[in-house]
Amino acid sequence: MTSSAPSASPSVLDLAPVVPVVVLQDAADAVPLARALVAGGLPAIEVTLRTPAALDAIRAIASEVPDAVVGAGTVISVTHVAETVAAGARFLVSPGWTDTLLDAMKASGVPFLPGVSTTSEVVALLERGVTEMKFFPAEAAGGTAYLKALSAPLPQARFCPTGGISLASAPAYLALPNVGCVGGSWMVPGDAVAAKDWARVERLAREASVLQG
């Protein structure tokens, strides 16, 4: 995910067209949810640090779902980096970045996607040797038109747009030359998770896994 990442670590941008963005209230749901997503063809799973259950969820997926590539989202501090990597996170995603946070993610030993929403932020990351980024909040920050405009002057930057993307809008993002995948939560709707309807999650994941630009 960055030019400094070990070559043995494949880019998360290339694992699947969609990275599910998961918010879990109960860590007990983590393993069946992850198994449903993997069965549906979406192995890269971003568990956001928005709930107290997140670290336990990452730990459970990492230990019990070997085919999943579990990552941590909403990483905004050095402590988050240390805690999530210790829990088994195999990639890190932040909504934005600072020099301190970027240094910690670089030192973590796992791939990472720092969040950007402006051209200056992209250039600053390229200056630091980072070429793969999260574009957030994608729809609010200019959507496909903005990313298309970036592709000519900054072709070396690749993105995972996240924020407001749906099954209907994802193909337009995936068609862009500088987009490797998109992040979204439509395949993990809250009512399905609450009802433990893992069959529905698997079906929605399967629909997302075959999306193309």
Side-chain angles (χ1 to χ4, degrees):
M1 295 172 52
T2 76
S3 58
S4 60
S7 58
S9 299
S11 170
V12 174
L13 270 62
D14 299 324
L15 291 176
V18 179
V19 176
V21 179
V22 175
V23 180
L24 284 169
Q25 304 297 332
D26 185 350
D29 292 331
V31 168
L33 177 67
R35 286 174 175 159
L37 291 170
V38 170
L42 300 181
I45 303 168
E46 175 188 337
V47 177
T48 67
L49 300 181
R50 301 180 194 175
T51 69
L55 281 177
D56 285 339
I58 291 169
R59 193 173 292 111
I61 295 171
S63 64
E64 298 183 46
V65 192
D67 291 333
V69 181
V70 64
T74 323
V75 173
I76 60 172
S77 71
V78 173
T79 299
H80 280 169
V81 173
E83 289 178 342
T84 55
V85 172
R90 293 170 61 184
F91 65 93
L92 307 172
V93 183
S94 66
W97 66 278
T98 65
D99 287 330
T100 299
L101 180 59
L102 187 67
D103 288 343
M105 290 193 294
K106 275 193 165 190
S108 70
V110 301
F112 58 92
L113 290 174
V116 298
S117 61
T118 70
T119 306
S120 293
E121 290 171 321
V122 175
V123 172
L125 284 176
L126 291 174
E127 191 176 78
R128 295 286 301 271
V130 178
T131 59
E132 299 188 350
M133 313 163 194
K134 172 180 179 173
F135 180 59
F136 176 83
E139 287 288 281
T144 55
Y146 194 97
L147 285 173
K148 183 177 181 181
L150 289 181
S151 64
L154 302 170
Q156 64 272 53
R158 295 181 72 215
F159 301 94
C160 174
T162 305
I165 298 175
S166 67
L167 179 67
S169 63
Y173 283 94
L174 294 169
L176 298 174
N178 55 350
V179 170
C181 65
V182 301
S185 57
W186 73 85
M187 75 296 300
V188 284
D191 58 342
V193 176
K196 305 187 187 304
D197 189 350
W198 311 127
R200 181 182 171 200
V201 170
E202 181 179 341
R203 175 176 59 79
L204 293 171
R206 186 168 290 110
E207 292 177 353
S209 72
V210 297
L211 288 176
Q212 298 180 355

